[in-house]
Amino acid sequence: MFKSLQIEWMKIKNYRVFQVFSVLYLLGIIVIIYIFYKVYISIIGELQKAMTGANSEGRDILGIFSSDYLPYTVCFWTSLLLYLPGMIIINLFINEVNFKTHRQNIIDGWKRETFIFTKISLIACISAAVMIMNFLAMVIMAQIVDSEITKEAVIVSLFSFLQAFVYLIFALFLATFFRRSGIAMIVYFIYGLILEWVLWWLVVKIHPSLPHFLPLQSSDSLIPFTRFRELYKDLPSVGVSLAVVIGYALLFVTLAVRKYKYDDL
Amino acid sequence: MSAVLAVQNMTKFYGKVRALNDVSFSVPKGSVFGILGPNGSGKTTLLGIVMDILKPTKGNFLWNGQPGSNEQRKQIGTLLETPNFYHYLSGQKNLQIAAAIKGRGKEDIPKVLEKVNLFQRKDSKFSTYSLGMKQRLAIASTLLGNPDILVFDEPTNGLDPAGIAEIRQLMIDLNRQGKTVIMASHILDEVEKVCTHVAILQKGELKTVGTVDEVLSGTPGDRVSILEVELAADSIANLESVLKNLPGIVNIQSDNGTLNIQCEDSLTTSAINKYCFEKGIVLSQLNLKRKTLEKRFLEITGTKSEH
């Protein structure tokens, strides 16, 4: 698999869209949390000034950047950018279909499974990069707010790996299914930003915990905005969430592999 | 001769459309095997199946007596349908990817680029190549690792006349080196000039298969083969009336002072000559016309294009 990943790297390292989107995304992880922090401090300062006349002096009075909550706050905000690497995955796969290189790789001697598992390995690598960048963002923010990095930061970083993996493997599944960049991206955005919220609204009436079992929401639920955990009182336990997330990851892997292995290319 | 490729009862449906129907044939080792057929006859579908990018509905195939596998495909140089490369990479980088997948080193790359006259443009992006250059790069890719089996689907697509002649010569040279070349084409002249064997497909049906000579002469598979003979005599009208009574004559056409007759292959030129002489006609011309693959192809498939 390492060899096929090396070949994958040969394919994408000179692809300008991949280069630009990757740099934008990885920098965006640091930038989005820093912007949130500055806005948050500014708003809190203004509110406190209006209510008490006292100056908050840029203090985190809600404690969302305290040692306990910093990892969750960071990963919650950076997860909003996960659609960007999702678009990269769709673009890379559909490029192969458009250039018919997904056929040529097989003709040249790859197994169909090798092709699709290489894409899944690439997703694992990108998810690992997301995890590392999230941890880096925690370290930087801890320095800025004079907080500490705890064991929780490592655990939440690992959760962010799983969250990124589910978002990206879902994108790959859609790309294998639709085979057209535009359609796959539209469905990806519509599902993630609209349809899943509609489903949330529908299933919450059946049971308040059910929305946390939806494909993308289940991974979001691993990293809630825990300073306000009362908003998530129906959150399943971490163990259950982990099982659901891993289940969805395996399901999308299986569907993508089956689609690629048995269909005409 | 052992079979490099054996296709057995291959059937392929796209939904309700039958692209291949129970096709079986073998490609002998060391041959240049042409798969000939009009557009939509199933040539590319057949090659797609044996290269594992399409799944057959029924039937199977063997490469060198073994079921198809990715390790076998690494040993086969294949150009299927269109040149498939990464548009944003150079020709050389694209070949590096193909070589890596085939498990070959980079040492072959300059050699194959030289062979197809692309070495000077090796660092240009694939997207800047002309159609002919793209085709040449695809052919270069098939030569990586010096494979013993080559599969070409319409290999001269997009090439200028000089390029077409070069590629045809390349295929003949490869065959002289002992390599087996399997080539799908709808260009009859190309198949006739290059191939030793031919299979003719129409609407997914295998119409005939054999050596080019066998197919031209009407065997195998045909009950009666038709020959064409050109004749002339002092009186064409007398000659025509005499020949009308000769058993085995299928058709007679007058053409600018000569007669073109079609007759069953049981009728030899010497028998025609003898018959005419006995009827008091001395022939001034008697030529057995060699049937071209084009004529044979049209006899088998009809004259209309399917698309």
Side-chain angles (χ1 to χ4, degrees), chain A residues 25 29 68-76 78-79 82 124 126-140 149-165 219 222-224 242:
Chain A
Y25 173 67
I29 286 179
D68 290 343
Y69 299 122
L70 174 87
Y72 291 96
T73 304
V74 167
C75 286
F76 174 82
T78 60
S79 70
L82 276 174
I126 294 174
S127 302
V130 171
M131 177 183 73
I132 291 165
M133 287 306 290
N134 276 335
F135 188 75
L136 194 63
M138 289 176 206
V139 171
I140 291 169
I149 292 294
T150 60
K151 195 176 74 179
E152 196 79 353
V154 177
I155 293 168
V156 174
S157 296
L158 288 171
F159 287 171
S160 76
F161 169 85
L162 281 176
Q163 185 188 34
F165 189 83
S219 69
L222 267 179
I223 310 170
L242 264 177

Side-chain angles (χ1 to χ4, degrees), chain B residues 148-289:
Chain B
D148 287 332
I149 306 169
L150 293 121
V151 177
F152 296 117
D153 186 9
E154 310 285 1
T156 54
N157 258 0
L159 297 179
D160 56 27
I164 290 172
E166 279 173 38
I167 296 305
R168 284 179 183 171
Q169 190 55 48
L170 174 68
M171 283 192 277
I172 292 167
D173 291 344
L174 289 168
N175 184 238
R176 281 187 188 139
Q177 292 165 28
K179 298 179 190 306
T180 307
V181 180
I182 302 168
M183 183 182 81
S185 180
H186 65 269
I187 303 171
L188 298 142
D189 178 54
E190 185 165 277
V191 173
E192 193 167 7
K193 280 182 176 158
V194 174
C195 295
T196 57
H197 293 68
V198 65
I200 296 182
L201 287 176
Q202 187 186 30
K203 291 180 179 170
E205 305 267 356
L206 181 67
K207 291 293 182 181
T208 186
V209 63
T211 66
V212 171
D213 285 341
E214 281 171 351
V215 171
L216 285 175
S217 66
T219 55
D222 285 7
R223 279 185 223 126
V224 179
S225 177
I226 304 298
L227 300 179
E228 282 197 20
V229 182
E230 191 178 47
L231 309 102
D234 288 343
S235 169
I236 292 294
N238 282 349
L239 177 61
E240 188 171 355
S241 65
V242 163
L243 286 172
K244 273 180 182 166
N245 298 318
L246 177 62
I249 296 288
V250 176
N251 186 30
I252 302 176
Q253 279 188 324
S254 178
D255 181 22
N256 202 21
T258 60
L259 282 184
N260 285 319
I261 64 165
Q262 291 182 319
C263 57
E264 292 171 6
D265 62 354
S266 55
L267 206 56
T268 62
T269 48
S270 56
I272 295 169
N273 194 19
K274 188 179 172 207
Y275 176 79
C276 290
F277 189 77
E278 284 169 359
K279 298 289 180 187
I281 294 175
V282 178
L283 295 175
S284 59
Q285 190 179 336
L286 177 62
N287 297 327
L288 177 63
K289 289 168 80 174

